[in-house]
Amino acid sequence: MDIENCLIIVDLDDKETGTGEKLEVHRKGLLHRAFSVFLFNGDSLLIQKRAAGKYHSAGLWANTCCSHPHAGETLAEAVSRRLFAECGIRDAEVTEAGCFVYRAVFADGLSEYEYDHVFVGEYDGSFVPDPGEIAELRYVKLEDLKREMLDHPERFTAWFFTALGIAERYRNLHAKDE
C-alpha cells in the first residue's frame, strides 16, 4: 500500500490502532485521523469548493484545506504538505484549535468516520488551487458565509459546520489575548 493512500486508523481517544488503504477505510467506515484547516483574513475565511472528481462531497463547499496525515507524519507536517499541495500555500502559520469525531454516510456507499483535528491561522498571501482537488478557492465574509449556511446547508460538507464552530470559538477566545 503506497503512503499516499494509507490512512491512520484510530480509537475514540485518537490512539493509533493500525493503518488501512484510503478507499477501503471509507468503504468500511473505519475511524481514522484527519485534519481541517481554516485560514482567516480578518473577518473573512478562505473556503474551497471541492473538485467535481472527488470521491465524496464533490462540488460542496468546505474549509480551506482538509486531508489525512500519513503514517509516521506529524499533524503539523501533514497540514503544511496539504496546504501546499491543495492551495499552493507555503507560509501559513496555524495552531490546533480543537478536535471532534463525526460520521457521515454518503449515497455511494462510502462514509467518513473521522477524528478531525481543527487548525486555525491568519493568512493574507497568494494561493494557487490544484484543480484536481479544488474547483474554486475564495475568501468570504463570515457574516455572508453563515447566512448561506443557514439558507443552503446542502451546499456544504458534513464536517464543515462543526469544524467552523471550533475554529471560530478558538479565534474568539484568543482574540482577547492579543
Side-chain angles (χ1 to χ4, degrees):
M1 170 173 31
D2 71 279
I3 196 162
E4 289 296 318
N5 290 308
C6 182
L7 300 187
I8 301 168
I9 300 167
V10 298
D11 65 16
L12 286 170
D13 295 316
D14 196 32
K15 301 287 186 254
E16 187 173 339
T17 62
T19 58
E21 191 275 326
K22 185 177 184 176
L23 203 51
E24 191 65 18
V25 167
H26 288 98
R27 277 193 192 109
K28 291 181 176 178
L30 301 176
L31 182 61
H32 57 282
R33 189 173 293 148
F35 60 86
S36 295
V37 180
F38 289 80
L39 294 182
F40 293 88
N41 185 356
D43 66 347
S44 294
L45 173 63
L46 186 60
I47 62 172
Q48 69 161 278
K49 186 174 191 179
R50 291 169 59 87
K54 298 295 282 185
Y55 63 97
H56 72 74
S57 305
L60 297 181
W61 288 98
N63 40 287
T64 311
C65 171
C66 48
S67 192
H68 311 94
H70 294 156
E73 182 179 44
T74 68
L75 282 164
E77 291 167 340
V79 166
S80 179
R81 173 179 54 82
R82 290 307 300 170
L83 272 173
F84 181 68
E86 287 186 31
C87 307
I89 296 172
R90 280 194 192 273
D91 56 351
E93 288 188 31
V94 297
T95 304
E96 188 167 355
C99 52
F100 69 104
V101 173
Y102 78 96
R103 181 169 164 72
V105 179
F106 305 106
D108 61 5
L110 298 176
S111 66
E112 279 290 14
Y113 187 24
E114 292 188 333
Y115 195 106
D116 194 358
H117 295 260
V118 178
F119 288 82
V120 175
E122 287 287 329
Y123 183 75
D124 66 357
S126 63
F127 50 84
V128 180
D130 173 354
E133 296 284 338
I134 299 173
E136 186 178 341
L137 189 60
R138 67 181 170 99
Y139 278 105
V140 61
K141 292 206 173 294
L142 282 173
E143 181 181 310
D144 296 337
L145 175 61
K146 288 178 182 179
R147 188 174 316 110
E148 186 177 350
M149 290 170 73
L150 280 172
D151 293 345
H152 299 285
E154 73 281 0
R155 294 180 183 169
F156 298 88
T157 60
W159 62 89
F160 187 65
F161 295 86
T162 302
L164 177 59
I166 291 169
E168 265 204 297
R169 277 189 296 281
Y170 180 86
R171 281 186 85 223
N172 292 338
L173 213 88
H174 289 81
K176 295 173 180 124
D177 297 341
E178 295 172 359

